[in-house]
Each structure stands twice: as structure tokens, then as C-alpha cells.
Amino acid sequence: MFKIQSSGSSRPTALASLRNKIRRHEMSRAHEIAQELTEKGGQDLLGNLVRAVSHTVLAETNAVFRTAYYLAKMNRPFSDHDDLIELQEKNGVTMGTSLHSRFSSTTIVEHIAKKMQTKIVDSIVSSSSKLSVLIDEATSLSHKSATIVNVKASLDGATPEFVFLDLVEPESQRAESIEEALLNCLDTAGFSEEWLQNNWISFVSDGASVMLGKNSGVATRLTARYPNLFTWHCMNHRLELAVNDAVDEVQAVNHFKVFMDKLHNLYSQSNKNSRELMEAAQEMGSQVLKIGRVLNTRWLASSFRSVKVVWRSYEALNRHFENAAGD
């Protein structure tokens, strides 16, 4: 606290002295600093600074998240994440100092996938769309039996489409374990028991006895729990079984299979043959696609593509064999 005193013995002189001091104080640097401090005190500078820093960090995080999403969208390896970050920084984009490793990229994609799945499930549940579930058995990299769970439903009133839900590992290959794993998967995803009772209309699987067994198969157990459930043997699996039965009956197919396998081995195991086939295709003005195997562990559509490739590449194959025969 400061006390301002006037000078002079008479009242007019004292008042004049005080007015002069007030005028000089208003024009002083100390008064300007006091005014600035008063104005800054009402501006919430600390809050504004925190918001500015948060906005900057959020923008940097968004850029990193979009980069990781690009890798997943384009089926690129996560090892490209750090290189893409470096490229964008050289182009002038501020990418921050964290979340630049491939491990961070993996975690980011998993987080985005969970959020997208939650949004899809919430849309299905809120619209009371009818639900179909398709499961199929697979083997993980650790040679453990796993079950792929797909659902089919209408999203926002559009045409129903298949959506991958989860990959679960039942405790065993018994029907009870598969049923428990499936129901836990649906519950974890956001489909409640009450909602399933009203909206789950179909269950699709392969024709294994553990799935479609009449006495204690997964389909039978689910039907007992959900009376309105319609069970179905997957058409793709039925087609595979039909083709396998036909191949067993028609022995001549084995000669065709041997011929296709020899073509595959001829060009997949020799770079020289592949190069000569490409040269023959250029002479004929045609395009050569990759020749695969037929009637193996892949789906029937893969065998059809292999046969179609040979059919389209017939001229190039014929020219290559003619050139090789005359060499």
C-alpha cells in the first residue's frame, strides 16, 4: 500500500499538487503495467493456453490415426507406419513426437476397429434389424482351433450385408463349448439376450456333425434356446461337397487335375519359363495371369479362376510350347 501526500500548506496548493501527481501517474509506465495485468487477469490466459496446446496435440494425434487407418485400409504392413510419418514430416505436416512405432500403429488400428464395430452393432440394435449369424471353423497360427463369427444385417435401412464380428477360440470342439463361445461373442459385441430372442432369425454353418447334428449339435442347441431360429447348411460348403462327390465319381477329372497341377508347377517353379511365357503373350498381344491349382484345399471359386486363367491364356501357352519345341 502506498500513501500519496500533497505538498504545500494551503488547500489550493495541495489540491493542485495532488492533481499533478494523478496526471503524472496516469501517464507513467507503472500505471500501464497495472492496467495490462488487470486486463490479462480477466482473460483466463491459463485456460486459453491449455486449450491451444490441447488443440495442437489433438491435431497431431488425428494425423497419426489417419496414417494408421490408411495402412489397414490399403492392406499395408504396419512397418510402413514410421516411414509414412517421416515422409509427412518432411512435407511440412506436424506429426508430434509419439505414436510413431509399428506397435502403436497396431494398437491404433485395433482401437479404430473396436469403435467401428461398436457403431455398427449399435446401428443394428437401435434399428431392430433382423440378424443372421454365420460361423466357420479355422486354425490360428498357434495351431489352435478357432471360430470365425460373421453377422448379416441391414445397416441404416440399407440392403443387408455381411460384417466380420470376431474370431473366438472355444475351449474345446464340443458343441457346448462352441455354443458358449458364440453367445459370449454376441453378448460382448452388444447383442443382449432379450434382443436376440426377438431379432435373431437364422444360423448358418458347415455340415459337420458338431454343428448340424440332430441330437446335440450347435444348431440344435441354439434352436432349443431360440425357437424362431432358422438353421441352414452353408451353400458354399454344400457346393464343395457336391463337387468332391462328383470328382470321386468321374475318374477322368483326375487327368485334368494332374494336367493343371503340371502347368502350375511349370511356371511357378521356374522364372525362365515364366519370362518366356510373358514374351509369348507379348507376341500374341494377350495378357497372362497367374496359374493356380485346382480342386485343392481352396474354395471352388479359386479352382474356377485357375481354369479361367488357362482358358484366357491358351494362345500364349500354345505359342510358348511351340517355341520351346522348336528350340
Side-chain angles (χ1 to χ4, degrees):
M1 298 294 292
F2 297 92
K3 184 177 181 180
I4 301 177
Q5 295 181 344
S6 60
S7 59
S9 57
S10 62
R11 179 178 175 79
T13 304
L15 293 176
S17 174
L18 291 174
R19 286 194 294 270
N20 183 44
K21 289 182 178 181
I22 292 174
R23 182 182 63 80
R24 290 169 57 190
H25 171 72
E26 184 179 5
M27 300 173 61
S28 66
R29 178 59 183 166
H31 180 70
E32 293 178 357
I33 294 174
Q35 282 186 323
E36 291 177 359
L37 292 176
T38 302
E39 293 175 358
K40 290 180 179 180
Q43 293 179 358
D44 189 20
L45 291 181
L46 182 59
N48 292 337
L49 179 61
V50 171
R51 283 188 288 272
V53 172
S54 299
H55 179 74
T56 301
V57 173
L58 183 61
E60 295 171 352
T61 305
N62 286 340
V64 175
F65 268 56
R66 284 192 292 268
T67 303
Y69 180 78
Y70 166 83
L71 295 176
K73 185 73 173 180
M74 305 304 295
N75 294 321
R76 300 296 304 166
F78 290 123
S79 56
D80 288 355
H81 184 73
D82 193 21
D83 295 333
L84 288 176
I85 295 291
E86 182 179 357
L87 173 63
Q88 293 178 87
E89 287 178 339
K90 289 183 178 181
N91 288 335
V93 180
T94 304
M95 303 298 292
T97 58
S98 60
L99 303 177
H100 290 185
S101 69
R102 63 183 182 91
F103 305 103
S104 299
S105 178
T106 304
T107 305
I108 290 171
V109 171
E110 290 178 352
H111 173 75
I112 294 175
K114 290 181 180 179
K115 291 298 182 182
M116 293 177 68
Q117 183 190 87
T118 301
K119 185 176 180 180
I120 291 173
V121 172
D122 290 343
S123 174
I124 295 174
V125 172
S126 61
S127 62
S128 295
S129 175
K130 300 305 178 183
L131 182 72
S132 298
V133 176
L134 184 148
I135 68 174
D136 192 15
E137 296 175 296
T139 304
S140 63
L141 293 177
S142 56
H143 301 288
K144 292 183 179 180
S145 178
T147 300
I148 304 171
V149 181
N150 296 283
V151 298
K152 186 174 185 180
S154 175
L155 303 178
D156 299 327
T159 303
E161 57 183 280
F162 276 107
V163 177
F164 169 76
L165 189 64
D166 202 355
L167 180 68
V168 297
E169 294 184 359
E171 294 183 358
S172 67
Q173 286 304 101
R174 298 177 62 86
E176 298 87 345
S177 298
I178 297 176
E179 179 194 18
E180 181 181 1
L182 174 60
L183 294 179
N184 288 338
C185 172
L186 295 175
D187 180 69
T188 303
F191 299 107
S192 64
E193 177 68 19
E194 181 181 0
W195 191 91
L196 291 174
Q197 288 286 350
N198 297 324
N199 298 278
W200 190 4
I201 61 173
S202 68
F203 169 78
V204 184
S205 68
D206 59 20
S209 59
V210 70
M211 292 293 180
L212 299 181
K214 294 182 179 180
N215 296 325
S216 60
V218 175
T220 303
R221 298 175 64 87
L222 290 174
T223 304
R225 185 167 182 167
Y226 305 96
N228 297 325
L229 192 63
F230 178 78
T231 60
W232 187 254
H233 185 183
C234 174
M235 290 299 297
N236 290 325
H237 287 89
R238 296 176 70 178
L239 180 60
E240 290 288 327
L241 294 175
V243 171
N244 289 334
D245 291 342
V247 170
D248 292 339
E249 292 292 333
V250 183
Q251 298 297 327
V253 176
N254 293 329
H255 300 286
F256 174 73
K257 184 178 184 300
V258 170
F259 170 72
M260 294 294 296
D261 289 343
K262 287 185 178 295
L263 279 180
H264 171 266
N265 296 334
L266 180 65
Y267 295 107
S268 65
Q269 300 177 3
S270 172
N271 293 329
K272 176 178 178 293
N273 291 334
S274 297
R275 184 178 65 256
E276 291 178 351
L277 178 62
M278 294 298 297
E279 293 174 354
Q282 292 178 357
E283 293 179 9
M284 303 300 297
S286 61
Q287 182 180 10
V288 175
L289 302 177
K290 183 179 179 181
I291 301 175
R293 295 183 179 275
V294 296
L295 303 176
N296 58 352
T297 57
R298 296 178 180 272
W299 287 100
L300 188 61
S302 176
S303 299
F304 175 73
R305 284 194 298 269
S306 299
V307 174
K308 196 173 182 179
V309 166
V310 174
W311 179 260
R312 289 184 174 180
S313 306
Y314 174 79
E315 293 182 350
L317 290 169
N318 183 64
R319 175 57 63 89
H320 179 217
F321 290 151
E322 288 180 349
N323 294 339
D327 188 355

